[in-house]
Every structure is written in C-alpha cells, then in structure tokens.
Amino acid sequence: MAHLSVILAATFLLLGVCVSADRTHQKIYYDISDSDFAMCYRRLNLTHETGCSSSRKGNVGVLQFLETPENVTWLIQNGAHAPYVALLTPELFVHDVIYKLRDSGKINGLLVIHTNLSDYLPPASFSPDSSCPNEYNSMYSGNSTYAHCSNVTWNPDGDSLVFQRFDFPIGILKNWTQIEFMIENCYRKFNEPVDGVVGPYPLCAAQVKSAMDGAKDTPTCIRRSNTITNLNPIGYCDPLGDMNSFAFIEPLNSTDTLANESVTLVAARLDSFSLFFGTDPASDSSVAGFLTLLSVVEALSKVKDKLQTAVKDRPILFVLFNGEAFEYIGSTRMLYEMENNFFPGFLQEDDIGAALIRPEHIGNFIEIGPVGIPEEDSLWLHTDPVIAANPSIKEKTDYLVTEMKKAATGAGLNVTSAPEVQPLPPASFQAFLKKYSIPGFILTDHRSHFQNKFYNSRFDTHDRISVVYDNVPANETYDHITQGAKNLAKAATAVARAVYALTTNSSDDSIVADELTMTHMLYCFLIDHQCELFNSSLSSANAALLEKHAGTDPFSTYVGINQGGSSRNWVSILAHGILSRFSGETETEESLNCTLTKTSECEKKCKEKNDNDKNSYARWFLYTWLQGPLNITTGERPGICVKSTANGSVARSAAFDIDGYDWQSNEFPVWTESRWSNDAMLVRVFLLPEHSYEVALLCGGLALTIVFFFLVCCVSKKSDAIFKSTPDSS
C-alpha cells in the first residue's frame, strides 16, 4: 500500500501541474502600487446604494485604451473580446461615455488617467455632484416655487455620477510610469486593433478590485451591522461624520444672561468629496471659504481688546461645519444640540462653564461659501426670499447687507446683491432656516450658478482660485503672495469689518486680514502639508504623524466616518489647530509657573490647567500644548501653551444616536460609507490566454483525472500480485 500512496501522490502532483499551467501562462507581471491609484467606493443613503463595487475577487477584462470617441464606438460595436476593462483619458471620462460603456454590457471595469501631464488635460468641466446639490434636504424641498432648483440651477456642470450605482469598479491611475507601461507594454503590444481587428491570443488583461461590504440602503446596512454574532463579528457600514469646530472671540459664562437674537454666527464648511477616495482638494468648493473664515478670526482677535465689552452682549460665534456636502450633517447636528440644550455643552446643576446657546439666541447668520473665483470681479450676497416676506426679518437682513457692502467698499472689494427673488444656494444656513427665521446672508463668488466648473471633484485644484507659482523658485513658494491669497484676504477683511460693525455699532478701518497668513494657509492646505504653519499648530505627536505623509497629495477634505467618537480627519485637525491659535492667546511662563528651559514641565502645567475644571466637556477655555514656531537659531521648537475658546462638537447625524429613530421621517441625513477589507483594493495587469486554450486545459485535466482514476483502481485491485514480496533466498 505504501507504493500505492506514492502513485496517488504522483497522480495528484501531475494533475496540479496541469491545472496550474493556466496560471503559469497568465503570470502576473505588473501590480499597480496602492498609492498610485484611487477607487470609487460605495456609500448608502435612506433609499439607495451609490458608488462602485467589484466582485469579491475583483473584476477581470481585456485592457482597452480609449483615446478618442471613435475608440469608444469601436469597443461598443466591434469589440469581440468582452468583458473589457477600459482605460480612458480624462476628457473621455464624462457622463455620456460612461453610460454608453455601461449600457453596452461589455465593461467589467473602468480606469482613468489622472496626471498633471499636458497630454491628458481635464475636460472643460466636470462635477460628479448633482446639478442641485443637497436638494433633498434643502429648506426649499417642499416649496412649489423653489424646490429642486426649479428657479435656478446652481451646478449646471453636475452630472450626479457620485450618486449613481455601478456594479463594476472604477478607478483613477496617478503614476505616469505605470500608466505608460499599461499603454505601451500591455495594450499596444497585445491588444491594439490593426485595421479594426485585434491580433491573436494571448491578450493583455487587467484585474480591478474594489470589493465593498455595504449593500441596499442605510437602514438595512445599519441593522445588519448591529446584529453582531460570533459568526458575523464585523459590521458592513459606518455613519459619515467627523467633528465641527467652533470658537468665540470672548467667553460668555453660564452665569451671564444671553439675550435672544444677540449672537452673530459666522460659518463656513470644511468638507467636499469627489468620485474617488482621497482625491478632493476642494480649492473653491470649501477651502477658500473656511480659510477666509480663519483669516477673519485672526483679524478680529487682533482687536479683541476693543471687542471685549461689546461681545458680552453680542457674542460672536465662529463655526466650521463638517459633513455639509452630504445633506448638511454638521449643521443639522449642531442645530439639534442647540434645541436640546447641549451646545456648547450640557451643564449639570452648579457647574460653571459656557452659556448654553439655543437657536433663538442667533440674531445674525453670515456664511462664507465658495469665494475663490469672483464672477465679474465681484463677490455676491445671497438672501432668502421666503423669510423676507416677514417685514421685520427683511429689515434686519437689509441692515446686514448694508453693513457688509459698506465694509467691502472700505476694503476695496466689490460686493453685489444677488436678485432678491432668487433662492439661497446650497449652504449650511439652509439647515437653520428650515426651522427658524434668522436674518443672514451667504457670501459667494457666483450670482446664479457656480463659477467653479469642477465643483466637488478631483479637478478643483489650487490653480482654479489663482494660487499659482509660475517662475517662482521652490524655496520661495511658501512666502509668495499669490493673486488668490490677495483676493481671499480682501474678502476676509470685509467680513471682519462687517462683523465688528455689527457687534460694536462702529467701524474700524485698522482691521486688515494678513495676506501672508492667507498665503501660508493656501500653500499648506493645497500645495504641501509639510509646512511651518501646520507644524507650529500641532502637538509633537500629531506633527510626527504628519511627517509620515510627506510627499503625498493635499489632504482629503472628505468628511470620512464617525463611529461615535471624536475622531477627526487631517483637514479637520489642522483647521481646528489654526482656529485655536488664531482665536486664542499664548500663555506666558509666569502664568504657567514653569520655565521653557524645561519644556516637559511647561507642557505638564499646560495640560493640568484643563484638569482643574469641574466639567471637562463644558469648560470655557481649553489649554493646548503645541510645538509652536521654529527657533531658526537653535533649530528647535520650544513649544507654546495656547489658551482658547476653540472646541469641537460632533458632526454626525443625530439619526444614528436617537434611540428608536424613525428612518422614514427624513428629519436628519442618514449617509453611511461601506466598509471594506484591507485587501479590497487592487489593480494588476497580466496575460490572458485564449478561451479555447483554457477549455482544452480543463478537458485535459479531466481526462487525465479519469485515466489515472482507473489506473489507480486497477493497480489497487492487483496490488498483492504486483507488489508481492520475493522470498528471502537465504
């Protein structure tokens, strides 16, 4: 029987060789590095799943490079080697072409060239958002005149791609060396048609993988995720969310009286998105707006001594909302907390901390929207026509607009009112106006449609807002004041002066936003995050983490997920750090009772100041130890302790935190992101043999199996005779 075991082992070894012959022929010869591609992924809302997903093992198809519309037509009409994975130029990756390819039934995946090369420039316009962003959670959603942008189309270039479902993977390729290899060594060598005919096998194929776990819709996915068992220990999706950041110019204690309509709220949004994970620079979509707000904070902090008395009666609240691109996640959550006496923190009896702010306390709402591409060299003020029907509200709104125009004129900025009959553009202000009549306006760079033809897309880059460094030496770019920096600093000056006038009933022409500060912020957020401003605004631990991202693209402005904690993405961390520095004060060594020659001692003293409060969440001041500016002489950062009112609140839909929430109420946004495993993303290229060759291998393997099965049976039956031992002659 020992001999029989050997025969069986040899048989299965031979079978293994035959079966693996196919794999040997398809030898993988090129893997795309994880950092050099980005994939479309799955998100879910109340009723649908959006985005892309592959099969669990990835989708495979013959690689076809599509450079011209004629190439697309050839694939659809004459392509005989389906399924295909199509490689497209940026100009061809548009709504009509994508849908034609999808509807052809021949596509198993799409890859798109995404480089800075002049040979493959972006299309003239591209926005994967809808033409009416956030329309289903708009304050006008039930209004017969303004619902669904029937009065004005804000984003005419929007094609809603990000909200469509694709049952095949779609990704972008960012490394030209790898792209060139795929085109020249794969497509042109094996697959390129000659006179409309493709040569013989083997053909070059691509495997693209983006396997998503979430499915159907948010209520279903959350229910499945919450049903955790030993057999199913992993959830399927997570709520979108991050943290809002907010700060006051001066503290208002819970013992002070806060009058109704006394608070001026100045807001901007932090987030954006694109079709592909981590590729959303959002230069005009969000960055220009929130950097303008940060610059306003810095400008007003310089005249804090003049504001101290006035802000006791008329507080100024600065807010950076997060998750706004997904039906106003951050603003609806903050409004919910205000309504439920939980903003900026719930106070137990006898606790001393920040005064609670409710919606009725807000008297003015100023929102800074996209302001990076002025239309007709002007910024535009948008007011709501619905609440304007109330004469009292209209009078207060007109006063706000007048003060803003007056401040803009003094700052040398042209500001024009949009038509009063025109509804508000998509903005956080709408989340508040949906329930409350609050005087306010939105400052934007457009009159009746976005100036940004790449709204919420991977092409919304720094050059869109005139942040360019042509012929500027590399070592001078950080301090080079671009036209974009000048434009935004001027806008910040105007807003800061208007807020000052609203608060004090007086003007101050000495208030000027710093162009160099704006220059540094634009450079850090849009060009290179390994910069002095970021490093000086972080703790040493976060700075060490920042260094690990050296050489990567600008940080993503996508809101990400919030599983119930206080986690932040990098844009949120950095914006909050800058908000703390601009709104706060640096504690002296005397106030800390330490000496900077013993940095660790000062850091400890700084952190101890936070522990002295009775209520850690509702503390009025936060003390944060940051690296601080670099000492050029010593090459070290001695550190600084920043005392600031800047704090954070959860930017996660209340729908996920209310027990027994009615999903169908549509009161709050319910966006989630699908989970995926660590090995869920993959792009690789290999040779694909002819189908008949694969069939022959299979048939040969089966035949060999049958032959050896009977051979083994025969040998087994006659094993006694075949393997009979010979008697020992001795």
Side-chain angles (χ1 to χ4, degrees), residues 151-344:
N151 183 275
V152 56
T153 301
W154 293 109
N155 187 28
D157 297 299
D159 57 19
S160 296
L161 276 177
V162 80
F163 301 116
Q164 304 303 311
R165 168 181 166 167
F166 296 96
D167 292 323
F168 51 79
I170 303 177
I172 57 172
L173 303 176
K174 299 184 283 185
N175 185 305
W176 174 246
T177 300
Q178 297 176 348
I179 295 169
E180 188 176 39
F181 181 93
M182 294 178 70
I183 295 173
E184 299 300 330
N185 293 32
C186 176
Y187 168 72
R188 299 209 189 280
K189 187 174 181 179
F190 295 97
N191 301 352
E192 186 174 21
V194 178
D195 296 328
V197 179
V198 177
Y201 281 93
L203 297 177
C204 190
Q207 179 185 10
V208 185
K209 182 180 177 184
S210 62
M212 301 286 110
D213 297 326
K216 197 174 188 300
D217 54 47
T218 286
T220 303
C221 195
I222 290 294
R223 185 178 68 250
R224 290 172 178 171
S225 296
N226 291 338
T227 309
I228 302 296
T229 66
N230 290 334
L231 297 177
N232 174 36
I234 301 176
Y236 298 100
C237 58
D238 298 292
L240 295 189
D242 193 274
M243 296 288 289
N244 297 321
S245 290
F246 62 89
F248 295 83
I249 284 293
E250 280 291 317
L252 186 69
N253 293 329
S254 57
T255 54
D256 296 329
T257 300
L258 190 61
N260 286 351
E261 300 181 5
S262 61
V263 176
T264 295
L265 193 157
V266 186
R269 81 180 229 211
L270 275 174
D271 68 303
S272 177
F273 61 74
S274 78
L275 188 61
F276 304 102
F277 189 79
T279 57
D280 29 53
S283 295
D284 186 57
S285 302
S286 66
V287 174
F290 76 72
L291 293 191
T292 300
L293 183 143
L294 291 173
S295 190
V296 171
V297 174
E298 184 190 38
L300 289 177
S301 293
K302 292 176 181 178
V303 294
K304 190 180 295 185
D305 57 328
K306 299 180 182 180
L307 285 166
Q308 282 179 337
T309 302
V311 294
K312 291 293 183 182
D313 297 322
R314 299 177 182 176
I316 306 170
L317 171 61
F318 298 100
V319 184
L320 296 173
F321 289 118
N322 219 333
E324 299 303 274
F326 293 94
E327 299 179 0
Y328 312 122
I329 291 174
S331 52
T332 55
R333 178 57 181 255
M334 183 172 285
L335 181 60
Y336 168 79
E337 292 185 350
M338 287 181 176
E339 292 175 328
N340 290 275
N341 298 323
F342 197 64
F343 180 82

Side-chain angles (χ1 to χ4, degrees), residues 496-575:
R497 290 183 182 181
V499 172
Y500 183 90
L502 292 169
T503 306
T504 65
N505 289 324
S506 63
S507 61
D508 188 343
D509 292 342
S510 70
I511 298 173
V512 178
D514 191 341
E515 289 184 350
L516 187 59
T517 299
M518 180 61 75
T519 293
H520 291 163
M521 289 194 293
L522 286 167
Y523 181 89
C524 293
F525 277 101
L526 298 177
I527 306 298
D528 186 358
H529 40 66
Q530 300 299 314
C531 63
E532 171 60 20
L533 176 64
F534 280 2
N535 277 290
S536 62
S537 304
L538 293 173
S539 65
S540 56
N542 277 338
L545 293 175
L546 178 71
E547 191 173 359
K548 294 181 179 180
H549 294 275
T552 60
D553 293 334
F555 285 125
S556 169
T557 55
Y558 171 58
V559 63
I561 61 171
N562 185 305
Q563 297 174 315
S566 57
S567 61
R568 291 179 180 270
N569 62 29
W570 271 111
V571 167
S572 181
I573 290 171
L574 294 162

